[in-house]
Amino acid sequence: MVGQGALLSPLGLLLLAPLCLLHPGASGQPHPTKGAPRETSSIQGVRGGSVELDCGSQSAPLVVFWSFTPLGSLIPQPVAIASGGEFKVEASASALGAVSLRNSSLVLWELQEGARGHFLCQALHAASGQLHATYSSLALAVLVPVSKPQVRLSDPSPVEGASLVATCIVREGTEPVTFVWQHQAPRGPAEALMGVTKRLIQLDPVNRTHLGWYTCTAHNAVSQLSSDGAFLDVIYGPDNPVITVEPLGFTEEGFGASEREEVTLSCLAASNPPSLYVWLHDHTQVHAGPTYVIASASRAHTGLYTCLAHNSRLDTHTQTSVQLTIYYPPKAQPSCAVLPAPGALALLCTWPGGLPAAQLQWAGPQGAGPTALSNVTWSYAATHLANGSAFTCTGRHPALALPMLCRITLWEPLWSPTCWTMATIRDQFIMLSCEWPGGEPPAVLSWLDEQEQPLGSSSSSPAVYLLQAQEDLAGREFTCRGTHPLRAPDPLCQLRLEAPQLAVAEPRVSVLEGEEAWLGCTLLGGMPPAQLLWLGPQRRQVEPGTLGFTLHPEGTQLRLNVQGADPVRHGGTYQCVAQNALGNSSRSVLLEVLRYPAPPNVTISRLTYGRRRSEVQLQWTVRGPGNLTGFLVQRRAGVPGLGAGAWETMAGDIEPESRGRRLGGLDLGVLYAFRVLALNHRTAGHPSEVKTPADPPFSAYAAVLGAAGTGMVVATVASLLVFQYAARHPDTFPCLGCLLVPREQSHQDQGSRGGPEATPGTEPSPTTPGSDPAQESTEPPVNVTITVTATP
Ligand SMILES: *[C@@H]1O[C@H](CO)[C@@H](O)[C@H](O)[C@H]1NC(C)=O
Ligand SMILES: *[C@@H]1O[C@H](CO)[C@@H](O)[C@H](O)[C@H]1NC(C)=O
Ligand SMILES: *[C@@H]1O[C@H](CO)[C@@H](O)[C@H](O)[C@H]1NC(C)=O
Ligand SMILES: *[C@@H]1O[C@H](CO)[C@@H](O)[C@H](O)[C@H]1NC(C)=O
Ligand SMILES: *[C@@H]1O[C@H](CO)[C@@H](O)[C@H](O)[C@H]1NC(C)=O
Ligand SMILES: *[C@@H]1O[C@H](CO)[C@@H](O)[C@H](O)[C@H]1NC(C)=O
Ligand SMILES: CC(=O)N[C@H]1CO[C@H](CO)[C@@H](O)[C@@H]1O
């Protein structure tokens, strides 16, 4: 320490020189002084670091003296002095750092910012016995590293559109300090903001892309440091929502989905903080939240869906609506029909309903046809189509996985049209009918007149046309034309109207009275078919059921049968009339009912009283030609004083073979007159002359009766045996048989045999007078009569 004190004075001396030297040399130019001073050089040091300031002398100087002039000051301050391996550092030099000397170099450790300034080194050298001084000037710059920057946002959560300033704050650091900014969006990579080197960045207006972490990095010549991130939370939204529909289907108005599908409506509206969502269906809230799921769509879900988005921070709303349509197919399936159209077919396919309308398409044997919605009509020129050609209409609908079909098969009816005609009641109208059934499409029929002009409109089978019944229609021809798309040429049928024609079997029919007569009438023609009828002689129609008449319709014939023909009631002119709507025609038939020829005249050959006067025996003969069928006996009572009474028939059914009759039941007090008539069928002949009975001239009966003693009984029995035999063999004993058998039985026997004795004009033996005893046989022995009767 002693050495140091000794050195102080030279140090103080030394200080003066540099001042003189240095002062004018602020420029640092080497001053041409004695001892060759060094030029000023610059040196940099970093705060806290170390720096060695070289004095620059090659040889070790005797004394080295360091002084320092702080930046901005003119007053140099001593720093250190060294001499002969010893050195001393000024205490105030600690403001410069930790100071030491190494040989002649000044070493500064833990460099302080106060070391900024000019250092002067003065050295004294002894060389060749001479002292000379050297000077060395050094300008020391102390650099400060940058401190850790901080990002400061003028508003950490600005609303989009506002202005924002972000500042990078650096407490210290030697200028120039430069900055690098970095932005990292959430979930994005960090990106440097290109071209920004300033401490400040201004975002004006701030927008959502600015949201994220901001860091800045400051650096200078010495160091660089980065800040921590600062989050810029830009508040924005909600934007207009965007609605998406799953599954995705579009309609003209919006979205579409099928019935029973799960439909998801999603809404997204960009917003910070995130939007709150509400779903409305036709203005009614149906859901809160971004996603509305319709588990099974139905028609009721069709409608306007609105998504409302809400930013709770800003209390702002936005909304978007979409139309959702739920598809449903039309009911059942498409229906096919075919209509005949002139020269073509109109194929109709309809399938109404559904949402949207179903797409229909025709396909035929030669390929696809037109397509349309809901209904489609195909005009198809039907040429050369085979019988059985099929057309299919395919219906497609978005709600159906598979298309629905309907099919139509065209076919041609068999044969050709058939025509007929009929008249309406009372023949007011004539109905032309035409039939050609079947076919797909059904055949179309139309009636044409002779000029081929259509009558009325065409129709399907049957086609009927009504004509006012008029006689001038007779002879006119009508044609029915059938048209069918598969048939060429058109088949026809014709009919010709005509008045009725008829013929009678015989124009003149003669029958005998009581017989039956047949009148025949045949229809020969007539269109519409005529009706036959018969008019009687009084020009009155013979109705079925008229007594005595029978009508026999057989095919085109009508026969009239007259039973029990009577000249008065049945004889005359009959007419067979054929009638149709065009008129009538008739033919006459003359029916003659001939009377039988008059029977022969009758003469009473004998009329006598019997045993009693209450009975008479009548015999007669016939005279003259003529057939007869029987006789009639009539009597008339002659009442005394009153004259003759009326004729009354006593016996009306007397066989034509009979010529005699015993008649009883006469009133004893009355005198009767008798007459006989011959009958021929219903014709009675002239009555015979009228006679009254006379007494018999002789009675054999009385004689037999008178001899009726005991002796006569044997004879009687014997004769009875003969009679019996005779009665059993009438051929052998015809006359006996006649005698024996009572009148009634005798007649029967003879009638059944058609006996030849019955010829007119011959007198049968029983009528002879001698046959009287035979008459008695009926009187006494009743047993005889019984026996005979029992042996036919
Ligand atoms: C946000 O601002 C930047 C510039 O500051 C601009 O380039 C960008 O287009 C903006 N974005 C929007 C969405 O406005
Ligand atoms: C078919 O569609 C047409 C129009 O395209 C319409 O005029 C017609 O009435 C429809 N027919 C049926 C049967 O729906
Ligand atoms: C056309 O075919 C149908 C059945 O497929 C048949 O009934 C009809 O008779 C046929 N027509 C002709 C003209 O052969
Ligand atoms: C037949 O026709 C004529 C005139 O046309 C008519 O006067 C007459 O009554 C008709 N006869 C019958 C039986 O209808
Ligand atoms: C039948 O009698 C009538 C009248 O009594 C007479 O006019 C007629 O000529 C007689 N006929 C014959 C064939 O004798
Ligand atoms: C009598 O009847 C027969 C047969 O019935 C007939 O052949 C004959 O001509 C008739 N005689 C007279 C006169 O009518
Ligand atoms: C500490 C140091 O550098 N000392 C040096 C001083 O100068 C002599 C001779 O020039 C060197 O030998 C020392 O090493």
Side-chain angles (χ1 to χ4, degrees):
M1 289 294 116
V2 176
Q4 280 184 344
L7 287 170
L8 275 174
S9 51
L11 190 63
L13 290 172
L14 283 168
L15 279 170
L16 299 172
L19 278 173
C20 306
L21 290 168
L22 290 171
H23 190 246
S27 59
Q29 286 293 320
H31 197 272
T33 59
K34 210 172 159 189
R38 293 284 181 87
E39 53 192 39
T40 302
S41 59
S42 291
I43 264 190
Q44 286 188 330
V46 176
R47 190 182 65 179
S50 64
V51 68
E52 185 173 345
L53 307 176
D54 185 13
C55 194
S57 55
Q58 288 84 22
S59 57
L62 295 174
V63 181
V64 177
F65 177 68
W66 285 94
S67 62
F68 168 65
T69 308
L71 200 67
S73 170
L74 293 174
I75 302 155
Q77 297 164 4
V79 175
I81 187 161
S83 172
E86 287 178 46
F87 68 89
K88 184 164 172 24
V89 177
E90 245 322 289
S92 63
S94 62
L96 307 178
V99 182
S100 67
L101 280 172
R102 186 181 296 154
N103 286 345
S104 58
S105 296
L106 184 71
V107 180
L108 300 173
W109 308 90
E110 295 165 15
L111 197 60
Q112 298 290 315
E113 280 172 81
R116 280 192 199 119
H118 285 91
F119 286 83
L120 178 68
C121 173
Q122 297 172 323
L124 276 178
H125 295 271
S128 351
Q130 275 190 310
L131 285 176
H132 54 94
T134 58
Y135 308 91
S136 176
S137 180
L138 293 162
L140 176 65
V142 177
L143 305 181
V144 179
V146 287
S147 62
K148 181 177 166 103
Q150 251 193 335
V151 175
R152 180 175 297 154
L153 302 171
S154 61
D155 181 355
S157 43
V159 175
E160 192 173 40
S163 163
L164 181 103
V165 175
T167 316
C168 188
I169 297 168
V170 180
R171 198 169 19 83
E172 55 181 4
T174 304
E175 297 292 339
V177 179
T178 56
F179 298 89
V180 173
W181 286 90
Q182 220 179 29
H183 171 233
Q184 181 172 19
R187 295 182 297 280
E191 282 171 358
L193 298 177
M194 302 302 288
V196 181
T197 55
K198 288 198 238 110
R199 184 185 303 269
L200 294 183
I201 53 174
Q202 182 153 23
L203 302 173
D204 187 15
V206 70
N207 70 27
R208 63 195 62 183
T209 61
H210 300 135
L211 187 145
W213 294 96
Y214 284 83
T215 50
C216 69
T217 303
H219 55 107
N220 62 6
V222 187
S223 68
Q224 73 169 48
L225 272 179
S226 294
S227 69
D228 293 331
F231 190 75
L232 177 65
D233 194 18
V234 180
I235 307 301
Y236 62 89
D239 289 351
N240 283 333
V242 174
I243 295 175
T244 52
V245 177
E246 196 71 41
L248 195 56
F250 295 106
T251 66
E252 279 163 24
E253 303 96 35
F255 295 95
S258 299
E259 261 185 329
R260 291 184 292 282
E261 252 184 330
E262 183 185 277
V263 180
T264 305
L265 298 165
S266 304
C267 185
L268 182 64
S271 172
N272 185 30
S275 303
L276 300 174
Y277 297 97
V278 165
W279 280 99
L280 307 180
H281 175 209
D282 293 337
H283 312 298
T284 306
Q285 180 174 341
V286 290
H287 183 68
T291 305
Y292 176 42
V293 179
I294 302 171
S296 175
S298 72
R299 289 166 208 196
H301 288 112
T302 292
L304 191 70
Y305 285 83
T306 304
C307 170
L308 289 181
H310 178 222
N311 184 318
S312 55
R313 177 83 161 270
L314 299 174
D315 195 24
T316 47
H317 293 90
T318 53
Q319 69 179 68
T320 301
S321 298
V322 290
Q323 178 70 35
L324 176 67
T325 307
I326 303 300
Y327 303 143
Y328 56 92
K331 282 203 185 93
Q333 60 223 29
S335 62
C336 288
V338 59
L339 296 178
L345 293 167
L347 295 158
L348 307 183
C349 179
T350 64
W351 199 21
L355 190 74
Q359 178 88 31
L360 302 176
Q361 175 155 37
W362 273 112
Q366 280 140 29
T371 178
L373 295 175
S374 276
N375 83 45
V376 58
T377 302
W378 191 9
S379 276
Y380 192 89
T383 46
H384 313 304
L385 270 177
N387 190 25
S389 297
F391 289 81
T392 306
C393 174
T394 307
R396 289 187 177 83
H397 191 272
L400 293 177
L402 292 174
M404 301 284 275
L405 307 177
C406 66
R407 191 185 303 270
I408 202 149
T409 303
L410 306 187
W411 62 277
E412 179 190 340
L414 273 178
W415 320 123
S416 293
T418 50
C419 298
W420 73 95
T421 177
M422 258 167 49
T424 59
I425 293 172
R426 283 191 287 282
D427 287 342
Q428 274 178 308
F429 295 100
I430 294 173
M431 221 163 69
L432 305 179
S433 299
C434 180
E435 201 175 55
W436 193 27
E440 186 69 272
V444 172
L445 302 174
S446 50
W447 278 103
L448 309 175
D449 64 11
E450 285 107 326
Q451 284 77 43
E452 304 220 335
Q453 293 307 304
L455 301 167
S457 53
S458 325
S459 75
S460 54
S461 176
V464 174
Y465 184 71
L466 281 183
L467 289 167
Q468 182 92 41
Q470 285 165 344
E471 277 181 18
D472 62 4
L473 286 173
R476 285 186 58 186
E477 220 165 49
F478 295 90
T479 305
C480 171
R481 177 160 64 204
T483 50
H484 190 271
L486 302 188
R487 172 75 71 91
D490 294 338
L492 306 173
C493 76
Q494 283 181 326
L495 57 83
R496 187 188 176 85
L497 297 182
E498 50 186 19
Q501 289 152 32
L502 61 89
V504 291
E506 294 164 88
R508 188 184 184 98
V509 175
S510 301
V511 290
L512 287 171
E513 62 177 318
E515 289 184 347
E516 65 173 4
W518 286 95
L519 310 187
C521 182
T522 306
L523 190 64
L524 299 179
M527 188 62 83
Q531 261 195 325
L532 286 178
L533 57 92
W534 280 100
L535 299 182
Q538 287 81 39
R539 304 200 60 77
R540 234 173 307 147
Q541 186 180 345
V542 180
E543 306 277 2
T546 308
L547 196 67
F549 293 97
T550 325
L551 288 164
H552 292 267
E554 286 162 20
T556 59
Q557 288 190 8
L558 182 66
R559 296 202 297 153
L560 178 66
N561 177 243
V562 184
Q563 273 140 359
D566 178 86
V568 179
R569 283 174 53 225
H570 299 140
T573 304
Y574 287 73
Q575 276 196 309
C576 178
V577 180
Q579 267 184 310
N580 71 7
L582 297 182
N584 59 30
S585 66
S586 61
R587 292 280 182 281
S588 311
V589 176
L590 179 66
L591 176 62
E592 286 179 308
V593 182
L594 303 176
R595 287 185 184 278
Y596 282 92
N601 285 354
V602 185
T603 311
I604 295 175
S605 54
R606 177 181 168 155
L607 179 61
T608 54
Y609 282 110
R611 192 168 53 86
R612 301 189 202 112
R613 289 193 77 89
S614 66
E615 58 182 34
V616 292
Q617 181 69 37
L618 178 63
Q619 288 179 3
W620 61 83
T621 58
V622 294
R623 192 169 297 156
N627 281 341
L628 57 84
T629 56
F631 296 97
L632 190 67
V633 178
Q634 291 180 321
R635 73 175 181 192
R636 187 173 63 185
V639 184
L642 287 175
W647 287 106
E648 55 181 319
T649 301
M650 289 198 74
D653 50 355
I654 301 169
E655 296 71 21
E657 297 81 17
S658 296
R659 292 294 181 268
R661 189 78 165 187
R662 197 159 55 83
L663 302 160
L666 301 178
D667 197 334
L668 294 177
V670 177
L671 179 63
Y672 291 97
F674 291 86
R675 68 178 192 183
V676 180
L677 295 90
L679 296 175
N680 186 359
H681 297 278
R682 292 188 187 131
T683 311
H686 292 284
S688 64
E689 76 281 13
V690 179
K691 277 194 175 168
T692 51
D695 285 320
F698 164 74
S699 178
Y701 173 75
V704 170
L705 205 62
T710 43
M712 284 304 289
V713 171
V714 174
T716 307
V717 169
S719 59
L720 270 176
L721 292 172
V722 174
F723 291 164
Q724 265 189 349
Y725 181 83
R728 283 175 187 171
H729 300 92
D731 300 333
T732 321
F733 302 95
C735 295
L736 263 177
C738 292
L739 288 171
L740 277 170
V741 179
R743 284 284 174 238
E744 258 68 22
Q745 272 80 22
S746 166
H747 291 161
Q748 279 171 8
D749 286 350
Q750 290 181 352
S752 67
R753 253 171 230 128
E757 307 97 316
T759 48
T762 57
E763 292 265 314
S765 46
T767 60
T768 54
S771 65
D772 273 348
Q775 293 178 331
E776 270 81 87
S777 66
T778 59
E779 298 268 311
V782 176
N783 57 342
V784 171
T785 308
I786 291 168
T787 307
V788 171
T789 311
T791 53

